Amino acid sequence: MDEIKLGIAEDTDTVTEATRAWDAERGRLFGIAYRILGDAGHAEDVVSEVGIAAVVHERKTDEAIVSWPAWLTTVSVRRAIDRSRQLSHIKEDYPGPWLPEPVATDQLPEDAVANRELLSLTLLHLAEQLSPEARAAFVLTRAFDMSTEEVARILEKKPAAVRQMVSRAARRLDVDQPVTRAADRTVLTRLIDAIHSGDLSTALSLLLAEDGVFWADGGGKVSSALNPIFGAVRITRFFSSVITPGDPSGLDFKGIVEVNGGVVVAVVRAGHDHVLEVQVDAAGRICSLRLVSNPDKLGRI
């Protein structure tokens, strides 16, 4: 896959302060927009729109911009928030759970992945429960080390209100509690071995936490569970219904790949690609599984 392209209008035929600043900042702007939206395509659109807006602003006003990076960040965040609100209506009608769009880590702009806070599919998914403004505040302070005063100016709120939003977001996402962590290659290898096992139920029961949860995003285009599946017993039953123990015919493990700054399992089943991200609890048991199967979301792997 080609690296993510972030371009602006072709009629920008001269290099200006605005275009130089946009070119230097676009990777970071993508990282902000992607974390707010959970969708790489829409994040690219936001960054491109901001580049065009910067050129237009520069041409139409004699007002001096004190800091182009600050201007670009402000416009990017506000546009990402607006787009997030628009997308919420689409997600309400989405067939089954909506999961973020995974992106191969080596295809992410360097500035977007420099700090991996709030980059995993799991945290991007969990952050959906936050309001767009709260998500933006959390992203800017935690992933991009911006002060509450800077974020307050962008969101046009008081610093105290921003601090409260960030604090509430941290509690809702449990990011400061070492309760769960992303699975490493060892855990994923054990999961693959369990699926290949002749006794799938027993093998999975040894790996799954009793209160585990499984989400599957087929987008209505690939057959998948339309509701989250709760509990190790039900998750095992689901896997047993779609995989014949000891004979996973049509199931091809492409391997463990780097996605969103972490590792996931890439699978091909019935001719369709799938990406599976796993989280483990403090005891090392798998407590959550997120399977992205919608082909529209897998073009960047």
Side-chain angles (χ1 to χ4, degrees):
M1 183 190 76
D2 294 334
E3 185 174 354
I4 286 175
K5 304 297 183 184
L6 303 171
I8 60 176
E10 293 296 331
D11 62 354
T12 307
D13 52 5
T14 58
V15 176
T16 67
E17 274 192 76
T19 58
R20 279 195 296 268
W22 178 86
D23 190 56
E25 295 291 321
R26 56 183 177 170
R28 186 177 65 88
L29 299 178
F30 174 84
I32 292 171
Y34 176 58
R35 285 169 170 87
I36 293 173
L37 295 165
D39 185 293
H42 284 287
E44 288 175 358
D45 291 345
V46 166
V47 176
S48 294
E49 290 171 7
V50 170
I52 295 170
V55 172
V56 171
H57 181 82
E58 187 178 46
R59 289 177 178 176
K60 288 189 174 181
T61 181
D62 294 328
E63 174 191 352
I65 299 298
V66 176
S67 170
W68 272 109
W71 188 95
L72 292 165
T73 299
T74 297
V75 177
S76 294
V77 171
R78 291 176 180 174
R79 292 197 177 214
I81 288 173
D82 289 342
R83 189 167 290 231
S84 180
R85 291 188 178 119
Q86 296 167 6
L87 291 176
S88 65
H89 301 296
I90 297 174
K91 293 173 185 177
E92 288 175 1
D93 298 326
Y94 195 78
W98 182 95
L99 295 177
E101 177 186 5
V103 180
T105 301
D106 62 2
Q107 304 305 323
L108 286 166
E110 184 177 343
D111 290 344
V113 76
N115 184 332
R116 303 192 178 193
E117 182 91 54
L118 200 64
L119 188 59
S120 71
L121 295 180
T122 294
L123 279 180
L124 288 174
H125 180 215
L126 291 176
E128 284 292 310
Q129 64 188 295
L130 305 176
S131 70
E133 284 191 333
R135 188 169 183 170
F138 189 75
V139 165
L140 294 174
T141 56
R142 293 296 293 259
F144 292 89
D145 297 322
M146 293 181 65
S147 69
T148 53
E149 288 74 17
E150 291 174 307
V151 177
R153 286 193 291 271
I154 292 173
L155 300 181
E156 299 180 312
K157 293 184 177 295
K158 294 182 179 180
V162 171
R163 282 192 289 271
Q164 187 176 56
M165 281 196 294
V166 172
S167 177
R168 288 177 176 173
R171 287 197 300 271
R172 294 195 69 174
L173 300 181
D174 285 333
V175 293
D176 295 322
Q177 301 297 323
V179 177
T180 64
R181 60 178 174 82
D184 56 23
R185 292 178 180 271
T186 300
V187 174
L188 295 181
T189 299
R190 289 172 182 163
L191 178 60
I192 293 172
D193 290 343
I195 292 174
H196 276 300
S197 169
D199 189 354
L200 179 62
S201 296
T202 300
L204 283 181
S205 68
L206 296 174
L207 292 176
L208 296 172
E210 289 186 11
D211 57 351
V213 188
F214 172 76
W215 288 268
D217 179 349
K221 300 186 176 184
V222 175
S223 179
S224 63
L226 293 178
N227 295 294
I229 299 175
F230 297 93
V233 173
R234 291 185 176 87
I235 295 171
T236 299
R237 190 180 301 148
F238 171 80
F239 273 90
S240 297
S241 70
V242 297
I243 301 171
T244 302
D247 181 27
S249 57
L251 190 66
D252 178 23
F253 286 96
K254 296 171 68 175
I256 297 172
V257 297
E258 295 263 351
V259 167
N260 287 58
V263 289
V264 302
V265 178
V267 184
V268 175
R269 181 177 182 274
H272 297 290
D273 290 328
H274 308 261
V275 164
L276 177 66
E277 182 178 88
V278 169
Q279 290 275 307
V280 297
D281 61 19
R285 294 277 185 111
I286 295 174
C287 57
S288 70
L289 307 93
R290 288 170 174 82
L291 181 71
V292 181
S293 305
N294 185 344
D296 293 342
K297 295 186 178 184
L298 296 174
R300 303 172 193 273
I301 303 300

